[in-house]
Amino acid sequence: MARREEVKMAIRNFFQSSGGTTSQGNNLQSQEVTFVDQSSITINHTFESKPTVTIVDTQGNVIVADVQYTSNQQVVVIFSVNLSGTVILR
C-alpha cells in the first residue's frame, strides 16, 4: 500500500475511533479534496459545524497550514509554499 494511502487510512481510523457520529448514525461523514500546486484552497462543505481539517501531501506527510473558517459552510486553507495533496474534512 502506498505511503499516502496508509496515512489517509490511519487518519480515517483515528476519526472513527473518536466516537463521533452524524445524523446518519455511526456513518461518519468526511470530504476529501485533492489539489495540485496550490498556495491556497477554498472548500465548500455541507457539515453542520466547523469540520476538523487534515492535510496530507502527495508523499503522505501530514501538513500544517493556516486554516480559516470563513463561514459554517466554507474553509480556506493557506500554505506557505505551493503544495499538492489532499485536504480531508471531518
Side-chain angles (χ1 to χ4, degrees):
M1 184 180 298
R3 170 92 173 121
R4 179 175 181 227
E5 291 304 314
E6 288 175 355
V7 170
K8 286 171 64 175
M9 182 178 291
I11 291 168
R12 281 190 199 105
N13 289 341
F14 169 78
F15 285 118
Q16 288 175 351
S17 67
S18 296
T21 60
T22 67
S23 60
Q24 298 174 355
N26 290 327
N27 295 330
L28 298 173
Q29 292 182 343
S30 67
Q31 178 178 342
E32 295 183 10
V33 178
T34 301
F35 59 95
V36 177
D37 196 29
Q38 299 292 315
S39 62
S40 67
I41 182 169
T42 300
I43 303 169
N44 295 313
H45 62 83
T46 58
F47 294 97
E48 294 179 10
S49 62
K50 296 176 181 176
T52 300
V53 178
T54 304
I55 305 132
V56 181
D57 70 10
T58 56
Q59 302 300 311
N61 301 303
V62 175
I63 301 299
V64 176
D66 181 24
V67 176
Q68 300 175 357
Y69 296 94
T70 55
S71 73
N72 283 338
Q73 293 82 34
Q74 189 176 74
V75 175
V76 176
V77 180
I78 302 170
F79 308 110
S80 58
V81 296
N82 283 18
L83 294 173
S84 299
T86 303
V87 177
I88 304 166
L89 302 181
R90 171 125 226 77

